[in-house]
Amino acid sequence: MTSWKSTLGSSIVRAVATQNNAQYGVQTLDGVSLAVGDRVLCTGQTLAAGNGIFIVDNESWRRAQDMATSADCVPGTHVYVSEGTLFKNTDWYLQTASPITLGTTALNFQRSFPDYNVHRFGAVGDGKTITDGATTAGSAILTSATAAFTAADTGKPLLINMPSNPATGTVALQNGSTIVNGTGTQFLTDFSAPYYEAVMINGVLYTVTNVISDTQLTVRYAPTSPGIISGLTIYRDVQTQTTITYVSATQVTMGVTATTTASGLTATYGTDDTTAIQAAMTAATADGNGNARVTFHAKMYIVSENLGVTSAAGVTIEGAGMDRTIIKDIRPSTVNPSAGYGGQLSFVTCRNCQVRDLTVDGSIPEVVVAVTTPARRKGIFFDASSDCKVYRVKTTRHRHESIYAHHDCKNWHVFECVVTRTNSNAINLNSDGTACEGCNISNNKIDSFAGSAILVGALSAVIIGNDCTFVAPGSVGAGMIGVDSSARAIIANNILHDFITDSAGVGAIDIYGAVNDHACINIVGNVFTNIQSGWHAGTGAAVSLNNVAGTTFVTGNLVDDCTAVVAGGKFVNIAGANTGKVHVAGNTFNARAGSNLTVGINVASTVPAGAVAIGPNHYSPAVTTPYALGAAAALLGMRRTVSSTGTTALAASDDDVFVTANGAVTVTLPDPTLFSGGGKRIMVKNTSAQTGTTTIGTAAGTIDGNTTVSLAGANLSYTVESDGSNWQIVAKV
């Protein structure tokens, strides 16, 4: 006999009846086929005095032994439900206060953690995606060998990527090439920047990445067909929403007629669950006890409008796991959301809310087809909400931000999420003029988008352990990780690879904004790989710092396998009217063979003297100019060894100079006027190996009024300081 007590002392029942029940005979309750002797918790009787734990019988049910008398009805008694479609593994407790008279006093049972499962509100979750759809020009029939259509599918909405509107002329392309050559084509007219179109060639869709001329364009992926493909018509791929009518297990009739014969088409169909899911969210918001959950099963739920909660406290939207629970938008890419919630899932003026363990799919293709201004549809949206979390969530195919904190969002956390195939910023914490603060973006996987992986405009942010791939941002401050107006930020242990941009001044990590915006930024221990095309006109970099105030550290980073399309690319670029101190040290910079990278660390002429301190960094291979300091040289801290006799000209980057060569050595100090603010010190010392004479000269000005001074013998040193015009000796040992 199964025990009716749990290991924690709670009573156990097999099922729960949350609505009025006849309490008679053998029934099926919440999907459970009951048997004589089963224990059932009744919580929804019309007369609440009839609630409690009952034993199933062939005739009238009787009260269970552990709740058969008034003395058994102890306030706070917990009851655990072991089975059920909606209420399996739920815990309930007796909320009624003493004194209790059984049969007279209303017995009110409450969920310990209220669960507003969307199926209780009518959701079906029968969404399905096929990838083998086929159409015939002039016909409304959609064929799929894998769909297994049924008569119940009649009337359901369907979203299909269906080629139409053929462009002019024919095209040819060769296996392994990404260049499409057209005959009689007018690509400049048919396709418009920024090239949100795709083309279909031989039934295969290719993303258009650039239009070279009226007769030539490039696509993202090379075809796999052998040899040269020629004489083919090129089409645009258009998303269409319609409804379907059942024909057979492999065919349905659409509400539109296909203009093209094509196969391998992607389509999604199913019951529209928008109303049911929103009803569950509204009920959870109204619950008001601070721990309500809106739960989903491992199904695909079709929606046709944005969903959300307003002024909620402690509401959790929870699925059965990433890629197991899928909320899929079935609106075509040309449709903007109606006035209402700002994202597919939204939290407005909420606190202590979270979304977790599900996938939010915006259904917008990697490219938006034949649309000059595509719909701006966000994924998960927060507005004026604090202490909120996004945890183990996947967002995909959104046209605008995938995860977005609009303004005044405090203590906002995004961690262990996957953001993929997004046509704008992936995770955007943007103050929009109102402060966001205390935010943590950690351990996320972000790839394939046309904006920043992480864009932050906040008072404080921690960005740690994220893996970012393939970004093509379009403006300054749109790096893989972009930080604007942040008083404090830690950017550490992130992996950034395959960064692509054609925009001036953009870095894979990009710190930008107005002067004095940044109080303290730490860029530490990040790994950059395959950073390419990111040096437009020689002004971009792996790390770009612009108008930085306070203290910024760039240290312990590995920049590996990098190249620049335009000569003059840099690893680190420091620009703007910086008013703080930037420290760059302990980094490893590896350039790709044949790279155009010629400058290691660049300090622009707009940067005040003394604003930058550069310590030892490693270059492999060595770059032409490790440090480019502009007209206003920065204060640097570099150690240099002179190991050969003859003349060695020191750079403005040199600080401590040790002579190990034995013999006649001349060391020439840099022009003291480079340090317009003065204060630059250089120490020159003969080591024990130098028993000869080291002559110290200067490129301009004098040294204590002399053109040269000498160190004759081992273990002697001079320390000189620039006063902006000449060098002054401040120490002699």
Side-chain angles (χ1 to χ4, degrees):
M1 179 177 180
T2 303
S3 172
W4 46 264
K5 285 287 185 181
S6 74
T7 57
L8 298 178
S10 299
S11 294
I12 298 177
V13 298
R14 191 177 179 200
V16 60
T18 58
Q19 298 180 357
N20 190 63
N21 189 283
Q23 297 179 337
Y24 185 94
V26 177
Q27 307 175 18
T28 296
L29 184 63
D30 190 21
V32 180
S33 298
L34 300 174
V36 172
D38 283 342
R39 293 162 55 84
V40 173
L41 173 64
C42 293
T43 66
Q45 296 303 109
T46 303
L47 297 177
N51 288 332
I53 301 175
F54 289 81
I55 304 297
V56 175
D57 206 336
N58 286 319
E59 296 183 351
S60 295
W61 296 357
R62 66 184 186 278
R63 289 188 180 273
Q65 179 182 349
D66 52 325
M67 200 168 278
T69 69
S70 298
D72 296 327
C73 299
V74 179
T77 296
H78 281 260
V79 182
Y80 176 79
V81 181
S82 62
E83 297 183 37
T85 301
L86 300 180
F87 299 109
K88 179 179 179 180
N89 298 332
T90 57
D91 184 80
W92 302 70
Y93 67 96
L94 180 58
Q95 196 177 40
T96 304
S98 296
I100 294 174
T101 301
L102 188 63
T104 301
T105 306
L107 301 181
N108 297 315
F109 288 85
Q110 178 67 44
R111 282 282 311 280
S112 298
F113 297 97
D115 186 349
Y116 293 88
N117 187 280
V118 295
H119 289 262
R120 292 171 53 195
F121 295 83
V124 179
D126 63 352
K128 186 173 183 179
T129 295
I130 61 172
T131 58
D132 64 343
T135 58
T136 302
S139 172
I141 294 292
L142 172 66
T143 300
S144 169
T146 62
F149 296 116
T150 68
D153 291 327
T154 294
K156 292 180 180 178
L158 174 137
L159 180 68
I160 184 170
N161 283 42
M162 189 164 53
S164 62
N165 302 328
T168 58
T170 58
V171 297
L173 72 166
Q174 187 168 0
N175 183 32
S177 174
T178 58
I179 296 179
V180 178
N181 295 299
T183 302
T185 54
Q186 49 180 27
F187 292 143
L188 291 173
T189 300
D190 290 336
F191 300 100
S192 57
Y195 313 123
Y196 290 120
E197 293 89 357
V199 299
M200 187 187 74
I201 304 169
N202 257 9
V204 179
L205 292 175
Y206 299 94
T207 300
V208 176
T209 57
N210 188 31
V211 174
I212 300 172
S213 67
D214 265 348
T215 59
Q216 194 173 68
L217 55 78
T218 58
V219 292
R220 178 158 296 160
Y221 304 110
T224 57
S225 301
I228 296 176
I229 310 172
S230 61
L232 305 174
T233 303
I234 189 168
Y235 293 86
R236 288 179 179 156
D237 172 43
V238 176
Q239 268 194 334
T240 302
Q241 185 187 33
T242 182
T243 55
I244 56 177
T245 302
Y246 172 75
V247 176
S248 69
T250 59
Q251 288 188 332
V252 290
T253 301
M254 302 182 294
V256 294
T257 300
T259 60
T260 305
T261 298
S263 59
L265 305 180
T266 298
T268 298
Y269 64 97
T271 303
D272 189 340
D273 288 325
T274 303
T275 300
I277 296 173
Q278 185 58 63
M281 291 183 177
T282 301
T285 302
D287 186 281
N289 70 354
N291 59 6
R293 298 187 306 166
V294 178
T295 57
F296 297 78
H297 294 167
K299 297 175 178 288
M300 179 186 289
Y301 298 85
I302 301 299
V303 296
S304 58
E305 191 49 83
N306 289 350
L307 306 164
V309 294
T310 301
S311 301
V315 172
T316 296
I317 299 174
E318 183 175 356
M322 192 186 303
D323 284 333
R324 299 186 69 228
T325 295
I326 301 173
I327 302 175
K328 189 170 180 66
D329 198 325
I330 204 167
R331 293 170 292 183
S333 57
T334 55
V335 176
N336 273 300
S338 61
Y341 289 113
Q344 195 173 340
L345 286 180
S346 303
F347 297 83
V348 179
T349 60
C350 296
R351 59 183 177 85
N352 197 30
C353 292
Q354 62 178 301
V355 54
R356 58 183 295 164
D357 297 308
L358 50 78
T359 293
V360 181
D361 189 338
S363 294
I364 292 180
E366 184 177 0
V367 289
V368 180
V369 185
V371 183
T372 302
T373 306
R376 296 169 64 86
R377 299 217 300 261
K378 300 176 178 67
I380 301 174
F381 176 80
F382 294 84
D383 189 11
S385 297
S386 59
D387 300 299
C388 292
K389 298 179 178 66
V390 183
Y391 178 45
R392 291 197 307 246
V393 168
K394 179 178 180 179
T395 64
T396 184
R397 289 184 280 255
H398 291 100
R399 173 62 188 93
H400 216 226
E401 283 82 4
S402 291
I403 302 175
Y404 184 40
H406 183 231
H407 77 282
D408 198 22
C409 291
K410 297 177 174 61
N411 300 323
W412 185 72
H413 304 270
V414 181
F415 50 104
E416 295 185 27
C417 294
V418 174
V419 182
T420 181
R421 298 180 65 183
T422 296
N423 284 306
S424 185
N425 302 314
I427 300 174
N428 188 354
L429 174 57
N430 195 332
S431 62
D432 277 0
T434 306
C436 297
E437 59 182 293
C439 302
N440 188 321
I441 303 172
S442 300
N443 301 321
N444 301 287
K445 169 66 176 173
I446 307 168
D447 69 270
S448 185
F449 39 87
S452 293
I454 299 170
L455 184 61
V456 172
L459 292 180
S460 58
V462 175
I463 304 170
I464 296 178
N466 301 283
D467 187 342
C468 308
T469 307
F470 186 63
V471 186
S475 63
V476 174
M480 272 189 166
I481 297 177
V483 177
D484 178 25
S485 305
S486 179
R488 299 171 301 278
I490 298 174
I491 305 171
N493 302 330
N494 300 284
I495 300 175
L496 302 93
H497 43 110
D498 300 335
F499 175 67
I500 302 173
T501 182
D502 290 326
S503 299
V506 175
I509 291 181
D510 203 284
I511 313 299
Y512 65 103
V515 178
N516 295 324
D517 274 348
H518 310 94
C520 183
I521 307 289
N522 289 333
I523 303 172
V524 181
N526 301 283
V527 177
F528 304 74
T529 64
N530 193 28
I531 307 300
Q532 60 179 324
S533 303
W535 289 269
H536 176 88
T539 61
V543 177
S544 178
L545 308 175
N546 192 45
N547 292 329
V548 174
T551 302
T552 297
F553 292 91
V554 182
T555 183
N557 300 284
L558 170 62
V559 185
D560 189 40
D561 190 25
C562 298
T563 187
V565 172
V566 180
K570 308 162 185 70
F571 285 109
V572 178
N573 189 54
I574 304 170
N578 291 20
T579 60
K581 179 75 73 176
V582 177
H583 302 262
V584 184
N587 302 284
T588 298
F589 302 121
N590 297 332
R592 187 176 303 166
S595 169
N596 280 317
L597 286 168
T598 57
V599 178
I601 300 171
N602 180 69
V603 181
S605 59
T606 55
V607 178
V612 180
I614 301 177
N617 295 280
H618 176 70
Y619 297 90
S620 178
V623 295
T624 304
T625 307
Y627 309 100
L629 301 178
L635 174 65
L636 306 170
M638 293 297 299
R639 177 189 176 101
R640 182 166 185 165
T641 299
V642 178
S643 58
S644 59
T645 58
T647 300
T648 298
L650 301 184
S653 58
D654 293 323
D655 188 15
D656 296 326
V657 181
F658 296 89
V659 180
T660 60
N662 188 19
V665 174
T666 298
V667 173
T668 304
L669 300 172
D671 186 342
T673 62
L674 289 175
F675 311 98
S676 56
K680 168 67 177 180
R681 289 193 177 191
I682 297 177
M683 185 274 294
V684 181
K685 180 178 181 178
N686 283 350
T687 67
S688 59
Q690 167 63 316
T691 60
T693 299
T694 298
T695 301
I696 304 173
T698 179
T702 61
I703 305 172
D704 259 11
N706 303 303
T707 56
T708 64
V709 295
S710 298
L711 294 172
N715 300 317
L716 300 177
S717 68
Y718 274 118
T719 299
V720 297
E721 181 177 306
S722 169
D723 62 9
S725 301
N726 298 286
W727 293 102
Q728 305 297 330
I729 297 175
V730 294
K732 178 180 180 181
V733 179

